[in-house]
Every structure is written in C-alpha cells, then in structure tokens.
Amino acid sequence: MTNRVYIFDTTLRDGEQSPGCSMTVAEKLKLAAKLADLGVDTMEAGFPIASEGDFEAVRAISKEFNWVQVAALARSSTGDVERAAKSLESARRPRIHTFLATSDIHLKYKLKKSRQEVLDAAVAAVELARKYVDDVEFSAEDGARTDPDYLEQVSRAVVAAGARTVNIPDTVGYSVPEEYGALIGRIVKALGDTAVVSVHCHDDLGLAVANSLAAVKAGARQIECTMNGIGERAGNCSLEEVVMVMKTRADYYPFTTGIHTEHLYATSQLLSSIITFGPQPNKAIVGRNAFAHEAGIHQDGYLKEKTTYEIVDPKSVGVPEGRLVLGKHSGRHALKQRCEDLGYHLSKEELETVYHEFTALADRKKGIIDEEIAVIIEHAQSAVAQVAGV
Ligand code: MN
C-alpha cells in the first residue's frame, strides 16, 4: 500500500453549504484558483442538482482548471447523477460522487427504505454514473453509525458496480478515533486494492482531524476536508490542520500529500475575505494568534531559540514573517508588501484604491488585521475591474 494520501477538498461544496458561507460562481472560481495552487488532488465544486449556481460552478471550474480532478455531488438517483454528468461534460478529469445513507436511523426515519432497497439504489447509481465517467466515488452517508456488516456489504457491492473510491463519512461527527480507525480498517481489509477508502469527518465533538488521522493509520488514502474547517454545523476536518499534522509528525504519520503548504495562509485569508467570517484567532495553523508568543517566559525562550516554543515554522505555511502591525501611519510600501504576503499582486491602480480604503479604515480603527486587508483588496479589485469594464 502506498503512503500517498489524496486530499479531496470540499470547501466549495460542504463548506459552502453552511451558514454565512454561500459563494457566487465568480467567488468559487477565484477560490478554486487558489486551491489549484495549493495542490489539492480533487476539488468538489458543487451539488449540481441543488441549484443553477452549483451546476454552473462545477461546469466552469472543471473547464478552467482541467488539470485538477473535479467532483460533482449527486444523490443516488437518476436525475441527480445525470445532472452531475452534464455539469462535468467539458471536464478532463471528472468524478461523479454519489451518496446514499446506510445507517438504520437514516433508513428508518429519512429514507423509509429497507437495507436491500438502499443497496440496490446505490449499485444502480454507481452503474449509471459509470456510463458517463470512469471515476466514480460512492459515499455511505452516516457510515460511522452504520452496522459494520451491512457497511461492508454495501462497500463490496458498489466497488463491484464500478466505484473506485468508497467514502465512509462520519456525517454527524459522532465517532471517536479508536472506534473509527477500527471501522475503516475493516473496510480497507474487505476491499483490498480494489478501491481507495476515503474518510469525511465532521467536527461536532472536535474530533474531525483526529478521526481522519486514525483512519489514515488504518489504511484510508483519501481525506475529505475544507479550508478553515468550514462546513455543515461545526464544520469538516480542517485541511490545513490534517496536512500539517502529517508534515510535522511524519515520524508518526509517514504519509505524503501533494499540498504546497506555503500556500495555506493565503488560501485561508482569501476564503475569509469571501465568506462572512475568518478562522477563530487561536485556530491552529491559520489563526491570527497561531504563531504569537505573549507570555514573558515563552518570549524569552523563543528569542533564544525558536524551537523552544515553535513546532511549525510559520514560513512553511506562508505566514508572513515579522508581522508588523499595520495602522494609519503605515505607508504604501508596507501595505504593498503585506498584500504580496497575502498572495495578491496588485496593479498600481489597485494598490492606490486599496491604500485609500485602508487609510479610511485605519482612521476609525487601531491595528488592521490581515482579514480586513484581504476584504479591502477584494473590494478594490472588483471596483477597478468595473471601471475598466471587465
Ligand atoms: Mn459533510
């Protein structure tokens, strides 16, 4: 078994379908460009049957970023699968991701279907999806709360029907690492090398990253995750955290990903500027305080030798070094530098607009944070583009 772990980003789908996170097609395209730079293996760009916007996002993203694999989500029904297939028509590396709940609680109350009916529908959806694309993923929704015998039966059946990836989500964030790792290990053993086993964890109990790592230890080779950990309710497994655990603790997790970690901070900042909130200040890796040392003893040790209190080099995740506080007395030069650190290369005209908005804000408020600068840049870029008529 290889040590390469695939990063399946669902910021544009699971992340987007949570309060305060809606994105327009144009915003999704902008973020997709950053996710492509970041090196994600798969971008799940939307749920095409859900809305015209989602359909258009999958279509546009799979066309523009044709070297990245793009996934479209579909329930296990003919209409959904056909709509997903249509949205991926011009994709070079399309994936249809079809799902159906398998836990008794979902079967009884939500689907009102028997286990056999669900199994048949899952197989039929995978077979239909395979008529359109070679790469099909099946997700057993609420997999972590599914009877393991039945889960194994469904997993074998969808692979026999042509699925290449079988995802076992902890849809409601209920599982714990040892339990989830054992379940994933069982499915990995059952499927052998016939399919990649994938995980999709939610953070309702704060265990999404830990559960995903336990799963990888047990043989899963795809992690579904989002930037800043956004997603339904408490969110999904945080991409930046799970990747940086594997990088920082390679001694314990000897796995590799295709992520260029130095793009993490800029990607996080761009996402924050598009949606209505940024990561909490103390968020690991991308939070404003993630690399701030306040206590005297810590500062003393840090100044003598960084590694006394710093396990991740901020540069390795793209956090600008020597983070000067920008305020009303900062000049264009410092501002330009910060814009570049945040991943924006501005024209002279754009920088001028940013500078004016920045000084106006700095008049009203002390210490401008990076997220605010990113929002100003986004405004300025669209204002300049409008004047230019593009
Ligand atoms: Mn989810």
Side-chain angles (χ1 to χ4, degrees):
M1 181 176 281
T2 143
N3 286 340
R4 175 69 155 81
V5 171
Y6 297 106
I7 297 298
F8 176 113
D9 179 274
T10 185
T11 309
L12 301 168
R13 200 280 298 168
D14 204 323
E16 198 250 354
Q17 69 186 56
S18 57
C21 296
S22 295
M23 297 177 220
T24 63
V25 175
E27 287 167 339
K28 280 193 174 186
L29 274 163
K30 206 162 192 176
L31 191 60
K34 266 275 183 284
L35 293 168
D37 287 348
L38 186 62
V40 303
D41 296 289
T42 308
M43 295 195 257
E44 185 165 57
F47 190 1
I49 195 96
S51 71
E52 281 302 316
D54 268 40
F55 178 90
E56 183 53 27
V58 175
R59 202 196 59 76
I61 289 170
S62 61
K63 201 170 171 190
E64 186 158 342
F65 305 97
N66 66 1
W67 64 96
V68 185
Q69 179 164 67
V70 175
L73 187 68
R75 285 167 300 188
S76 291
S77 69
T78 306
D80 277 44
V81 171
E82 285 175 350
R83 191 77 178 139
K86 184 119 187 94
S87 72
L88 288 165
E89 261 174 7
S90 44
R92 195 158 66 83
R93 298 184 55 205
R95 172 181 288 192
I96 293 177
H97 176 195
T98 186
F99 73 96
L100 189 56
T102 51
S103 67
D104 287 337
I105 194 167
H106 279 231
L107 264 58
K108 183 173 173 198
Y109 296 105
K110 189 179 82 171
L111 301 174
K112 304 188 194 316
K113 280 190 169 144
S114 69
R115 286 185 175 186
Q116 188 60 47
E117 285 171 313
V118 163
L119 182 72
D120 293 343
V123 165
V126 170
E127 282 174 347
L128 177 62
R130 277 301 304 266
K131 292 199 174 126
Y132 296 101
V133 298
D134 288 339
D135 196 319
V136 173
E137 169 173 341
F138 177 79
S139 277
E141 189 190 0
D142 206 19
R145 290 195 300 174
T146 298
D147 167 31
D149 290 334
Y150 178 58
L151 187 63
E152 194 177 314
Q153 189 191 355
V154 171
S155 301
R156 288 181 195 273
V158 294
V159 171
R164 286 186 181 173
T165 303
V166 177
N167 184 40
I168 311 295
D170 181 17
T171 304
V172 292
Y174 180 75
S175 209
V176 295
E178 292 78 4
E179 174 191 59
Y180 191 59
L183 179 67
I184 295 300
R186 176 170 173 176
I187 302 300
V188 167
K189 199 171 158 207
L191 298 182
D193 58 8
T194 61
V196 171
V197 174
S198 165
V199 292
H200 176 114
C201 295
H202 277 271
D203 211 31
D204 299 71
L205 295 173
L207 290 171
V209 171
N211 285 339
S212 302
L213 290 166
V216 168
K217 272 268 187 197
R221 285 296 176 268
Q222 175 177 282
I223 299 174
E224 303 194 0
C225 48
T226 60
M227 276 312 298
N228 294 357
I230 66 169
E232 289 275 2
R233 305 180 311 279
N236 286 76
C237 172
S238 148
L239 185 156
E240 61 276 15
E241 292 180 19
V242 82
V243 165
M244 288 311 293
V245 174
M246 291 189 282
K247 185 168 175 175
T248 309
R249 292 305 308 275
D251 57 326
Y252 197 77
Y253 298 102
F255 308 108
T256 59
T257 69
I259 298 296
H260 305 295
T261 61
E262 63 283 3
H263 289 289
L264 284 171
Y265 186 68
T267 311
S268 166
Q269 290 291 316
L270 176 64
L271 174 63
S272 303
S273 74
I274 291 173
I275 62 175
T276 58
F277 56 92
Q280 80 232 30
N282 62 329
K283 168 82 168 59
I285 313 300
V286 294
R288 195 187 317 149
N289 294 347
F291 300 100
H293 303 277
E294 167 98 24
I297 294 170
H298 288 214
Q299 287 185 343
D300 178 57
Y302 173 79
L303 290 171
K304 285 172 177 152
E305 166 54 41
K306 283 184 187 178
T307 56
T308 52
Y309 286 98
E310 199 163 83
I311 59 158
V312 171
D313 180 353
K315 281 202 293 284
S316 72
V317 295
V319 169
E321 227 191 332
R323 305 183 62 204
L324 301 171
V325 176
L326 293 183
K328 64 190 288 186
H329 304 295
S330 305
R332 285 177 178 74
H333 184 75
L335 183 63
K336 181 168 182 252
Q337 183 61 51
R338 181 62 53 89
C339 294
E340 278 169 16
D341 290 343
L342 292 173
Y344 295 94
H345 299 280
L346 304 181
S347 67
K348 227 175 162 179
E349 201 184 354
E350 287 169 337
L351 180 65
E352 227 19 61
T353 311
V354 169
Y355 183 72
H356 285 293
E357 280 199 40
F358 167 79
T359 48
L361 179 63
D363 267 338
R364 305 194 298 270
K365 181 175 179 296
K366 259 193 196 164
I368 310 289
I369 62 173
D370 286 351
E371 283 148 43
E372 293 168 321
I373 295 173
V375 170
I376 290 174
I377 296 170
E378 294 296 324
H379 284 169
Q381 283 187 328
S382 50
V384 170
Q386 265 171 20
V387 171
V390 276

